[in-house]
């Protein structure tokens, strides 16, 4: 009698659907958490108390509440108050709320970590507030924030498994359903764990590769590549006197 | 005299001495004061800098030199006084009257003590960034940036990142960057203080060429021999006030004020 007794070919569509849902939760939630985290970080760095204090309260509250409690509050708690969110909306909202608090800390530290002289130099060149942030502060902060942000992305992907508690149809939920049908818990969850590993390991390695590329100064955007190509051609030309 | 600085000490009724009509004043500072946490760091300062003139501000650390320089492009906001740049009032009384601060700062280039290059951009990108943001077409901005890098002798380092360059190279890129928007005046805040002697020589060479080309410059410097060689006017600042000013040969060789003499004696002992 072999170790694998679950008829996996029968469950392949369910697993693929779970995979699709897991990736969907991860992409939508991470994008939302990154945007909200950046906004919170900027609010926390604001000199205005009226902006700083609510952002600080938000961060401290949701950093110190378990994700599972947030999932239950969002899905069951709000429903009891008359606000009924779908499973996908509730799942994404929970992940966004929770990870935005952590990402805001990472972003805040990264923005604060950019040397004050950079802001001054940008101001002295006549760059406005938006340009200073977009072209000087943010690119440098991004480099500082990348390691922490990448860790959060992988962590968020793994945390989608907690959505099994609201039957979110992601990988873990599919595993639970297959277990109920086959009573082969060990085999099923070993396979589910392997699928998570197969998702997370390449993702974290890709992010490390991206981090190294950015650190080494390799231009990533086509516009910047084109600009540097033009500059290189001009630099190679014989110079006319200025 | 054109391109001169005037303190309260050498004019009547606390007013700056008038420049001859032919002198176009690029920077005019009148009765400027500034304090930090109740401590007065600039006190009733007057200064006029004419086009193509070079004014060196000297003095001990903490005397107010850098604050004075930073007031010119409003990186420090004065408490009180009058400030005009290229004929346009930018600060009057106790408020900023400049409508377009970004444009003012494009008129006033600044070179910092610690270079402050953008580390995520190559040398040529550092020089072109402000031009691109000011709406200069990409190719034109890059051509000018390359020309400026050639001017400071760094065309071969155009695609290098700041961390790949020596201090002297970084400061020369910073000078090219400050020149990118064709400023009316260039401010130097102790541009060689963080450099070794060889790099200092490279930077001073570039600054000397700029002086020869007629660039209007205000320097805060500890390089007194350089100040003596290139400046039209030297201002000695101490305790937030202009203690003495005049031609380099007067202030640096035959100072009339005790405090200036003490500073120069101390400088000579250290060098």
């Amino acid at each position: 009698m072999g170790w694998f007794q679950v008829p996996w070919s029968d469950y392949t569509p369910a697993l693929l659907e779970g995979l699709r849902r897991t990736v969907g939760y991860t992409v939508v939630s991470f994008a939302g958490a990154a945007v909200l985290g950046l906004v919170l970080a900027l609010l926390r760095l604001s000199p205005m108390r009226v902006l700083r204090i609510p952002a600080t309260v938000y961060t401290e509250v949701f950093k110190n509440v378990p994700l599972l409690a947030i999932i239950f509050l969002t899905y069951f708690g709000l429903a009891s108050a008359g606000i009924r969110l779908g499973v996908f909306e509730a799942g994404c909202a929970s992940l966004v709320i929770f990870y935005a608090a952590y990402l805001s800390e990472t972003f805040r530290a990264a923005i604060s970590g950019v040397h004050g002289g950079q802001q001054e130099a940008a101001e002295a060149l006549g760059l406005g507030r938006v340009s200073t942030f977009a072209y000087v502060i943010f690119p440098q902060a991004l480099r500082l924030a990348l390691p922490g942000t990448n860790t959060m992305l992988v962590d968020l992907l793994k945390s989608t498994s907690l959505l099994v508690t609201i039957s979110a149809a992601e990988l873990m939920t599919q595993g639970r359903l297959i277990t109920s049908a086959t009573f082969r818990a060990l085999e099923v969850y070993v396979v589910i764990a392997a699928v998570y590993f197969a998702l997370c390991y390449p993702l974290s390695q890709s992010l490390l590769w991206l981090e190294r590329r950015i650190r080494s100064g390799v231009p990533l955007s086509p516009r910047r590549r084109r600009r540097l190509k033009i500059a290189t051609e001009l630099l190679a030309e014989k110079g006319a006197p200025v | 005299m054109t391109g001169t600085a005037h303190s309260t000490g050498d004019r009547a009724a606390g007013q700056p001495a008038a420049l001859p009509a032919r002198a176009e004043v690029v920077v005019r500072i009148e009765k400027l004061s500034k304090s930090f946490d109740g401590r007065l760091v600039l006190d009733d300062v007057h200064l006029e800098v004419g086009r193509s003139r070079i004014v060196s501000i000297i003095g001990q650390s903490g005397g107010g030199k850098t604050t004075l320089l930073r007031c010119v492009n409003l990186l420090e906001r004065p408490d009180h006084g009058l400030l005009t740049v290229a004929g346009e009032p930018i600060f009057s009384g106790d408020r900023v009257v400049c409508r377009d601060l970004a444009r003012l700062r494009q008129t006033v280039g600044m070179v910092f003590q610690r270079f402050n290059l953008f580390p995520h951009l190559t040398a040529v990108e550092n020089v072109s960034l402000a031009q691109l943001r000011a709406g200069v077409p990409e190719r034109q901005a890059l051509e000018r940036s390359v020309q400026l890098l050639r001017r400071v002798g760094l065309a071969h380092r155009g695609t290098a990142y700041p961390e790949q360059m020596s201090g002297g190279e970084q400061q020369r890129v910073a000078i090219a960057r400050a020149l990118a928007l064709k400023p009316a005046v260039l401010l130097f805040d102790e541009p060689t203080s963080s450099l070794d002697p060889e790099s200092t020589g490279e930077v001073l060479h570039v600054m000397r060429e700029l002086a020869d080309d007629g660039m209007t410059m205000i320097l805060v410097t500890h390089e007194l021999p350089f100040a003596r060689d290139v400046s039209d006017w030297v201002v000695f600042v101490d305790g937030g006030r202009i203690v003495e000013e005049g031609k380099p040969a007067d202030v640096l060789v035959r100072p009339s004020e005790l405090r200036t003499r003490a500073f120069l004696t101390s400088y000579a002992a250290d060098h």
Side-chain angles (χ1 to χ4, degrees), chain A residues 120 123 217 224 227 237, chain B residues 70 105 125 138 150 161:
Chain A
E120 278 197 343
E123 283 177 19
R224 191 166 173 232
R227 188 170 289 164
E237 286 172 10
Chain B
R70 288 164 61 87
R105 285 172 172 157
E125 289 173 300
E138 187 180 57
R150 285 207 177 96
Y161 284 88

Side-chain angles (χ1 to χ4, degrees), chain A residues 12-30:
Chain A
T12 303
L15 278 180
L16 287 176
E17 174 61 14
L19 193 65
R20 190 183 69 78
R21 295 268 180 150
T22 294
V23 172
Y25 280 113
T26 303
V27 171
V28 173
S29 304
F30 187 76

Side-chain angles (χ1 to χ4, degrees), chain B residues 55 82 144 221:
Chain B
V55 174
L82 176 71
R144 174 154 176 79
T221 184

